[in-house]
Amino acid sequence: MSTGRNIVVLTGAGVSAESGIDTFRAEGGLWENHRVEDVATPEAFSRDPDLVLRFYDMRRAAIQTKEPNAAHHALARLEAEWPRRVVGGTVTLVTQNVDDLHERAGSFNLIHMHGEHLNAWCRACEMRSVWTGALSHRPQCPQCGARALRPDILWFGEMPYRMADIYDAMHNADMFVSIGTSGAVYPAAGLVRIARDNGVQTLELNLDPSQGSDLFDESRIGPATRLVPGWVDEMLAGTK
Ligand code: OAD
C-alpha cells in the first residue's frame, strides 16, 4: 500500500475509551444514564438548563482526571514526525471528541468538530473562554459579564464546527483514517465517502466494524492503544 503526503485522521470516542472516558453507544455508555434528548439538545437546555449544566459540569470535571493513552500519543508522534519523513506532508486530526486528550498528548493540527468541554460559550456576546470549572451556578462571562454561558459542545440539531476547514483538508488528502468511531453520526460518518469519491486511500481502526466499515479499503479490528501505535510505526517506517 503506498502512502500519500497529506493524511486526515478522524477520531471518535473509541480513542479515549481506554483512558476511561465512556463511549456514547456502548452498553453502559453516556446515554445509558441520561437520555440524549434530556441533555444534548437546545430544547433540553431551554426546558431544564440546571440538569443540562450539571450534567456537563460532571463530564467536564471527569475528563480532567483522565490521561491521554498510547493512541493519543501515537497520533501526536505521527503529526510531529510525518513531515520529516515526507517533505511537505501534513497530518490533520479531526476529532468528534470533546475531551482534550489529543492536545494534551501533543497534537496541534487539530479540529474539534463537536466542540470542547473545556470551553464556555457566551450566548450574550458569542465569545468563547477557556473554562475548567462549573457552569451550573451561572458564572459571569469573563468577556462581557453576562450570566449566559453554555458548554461549547455541539448539541443535536446544531452545525458542527469548522466544516469548511474539514472539507478543505479532505480535498487535499491522500489518505483518510478513521479511528474509534461507530460511523453513526453525520457529517463525520460521511467523510469516508468523500475520500472514496476522491480516490483517496482509506483505513479504519476500530474495536468493532463501524456502520460504514465496508466503505473502507482496509479495516483493522482491535483496541486503539494497540492498533494506532502499530499503524503509526508502519507509516513512519515507510512499510505501508
Ligand atoms: P460511539 O460511542 O458511537 O462509537 C464508539 C466506537 O468506538 C465504537 O464503534 C466502538 O466499537 C469503538 N471503540 C470502543 N472502544 C474502543 C477501543 N478501545 N479502541 C478502538 N475503538 C473502540 O462514539 P462516536 O462514534 O465518537 O456527538 O460518536 C459520534 C458522536 O455521537 C459523538 O461525538 C457525539 C455522539 O452523539 C455529539 O455529541 C454531537
Side-chain angles (χ1 to χ4, degrees):
M1 191 186 292
S2 65
T3 55
R5 290 189 318 135
N6 298 323
I7 306 168
V8 175
V9 178
L10 171 71
T11 63
V15 164
S16 295
E18 291 165 86
S19 292
I21 298 177
D22 291 339
T23 61
F24 291 89
R25 290 176 178 76
E27 201 179 329
L30 175 63
W31 311 129
E32 293 293 309
N33 299 326
H34 291 275
R35 291 188 312 152
V36 57
E37 56 270 32
D38 288 339
V39 290
T41 64
E43 293 75 22
F45 189 54
S46 301
R47 192 171 55 239
D48 191 347
D50 285 333
L51 171 78
V52 173
L53 291 174
R54 281 203 315 274
F55 174 78
Y56 283 100
D57 284 354
M58 183 260 295
R59 298 288 296 181
R60 192 179 311 104
I63 65 150
Q64 294 176 71
T65 68
K66 311 299 182 191
E67 297 296 332
N69 64 44
H72 300 103
H73 287 295
L75 291 170
R77 184 162 58 92
L78 180 68
E79 183 187 330
E81 294 183 19
W82 183 244
R84 286 182 215 140
R85 179 166 130 52
V86 178
V87 176
T90 63
V91 176
T92 304
L93 186 50
V94 178
T95 188
Q96 299 166 89
N97 298 343
V98 293
D99 64 56
D100 65 339
L101 298 185
H102 281 308
E103 44 271 60
R104 276 202 266 148
S107 288
F108 287 101
N109 192 16
L110 172 66
I111 298 175
H112 275 282
M113 68 183 296
H114 289 172
E116 297 175 59
H117 262 314
L118 299 185
N119 268 357
W121 173 17
C122 179
R123 286 164 303 132
C125 72
E126 298 291 334
M127 297 295 284
R128 265 89 176 173
S129 304
V130 173
W131 206 269
T132 55
L135 289 173
S136 54
H137 60 296
R138 308 295 203 282
Q140 286 184 294
C141 169
Q143 323 274 348
C144 75
R147 296 187 185 277
L149 295 173
R150 62 162 271 185
D152 192 10
I153 303 275
L154 192 75
W155 287 331
F156 284 93
E158 296 181 332
M159 183 65 78
Y161 298 162
R162 296 185 58 189
M163 287 309 299
D165 292 333
I166 294 170
Y167 290 136
D168 198 40
M170 291 301 298
H171 179 73
N172 291 311
D174 301 292
M175 182 178 195
F176 174 71
V177 185
S178 171
I179 306 173
T181 176
S182 59
V185 174
Y186 285 80
L191 295 183
V192 61
R193 288 184 189 276
I194 295 175
R196 275 174 65 101
D197 289 350
N198 291 343
V200 168
Q201 179 191 353
T202 55
L203 169 67
E204 168 178 71
L205 309 174
N206 211 40
L207 195 59
D208 309 293
S210 68
Q211 291 186 19
S213 196
D214 52 2
L215 295 171
F216 288 85
D217 295 327
E218 187 186 357
S219 189
R220 300 183 189 178
I221 300 303
T225 55
R226 177 169 60 79
L227 293 186
V228 181
W231 169 68
V232 168
D233 286 345
E234 288 171 10
M235 292 297 290
L236 294 175
T239 56
K240 277 277 168 182

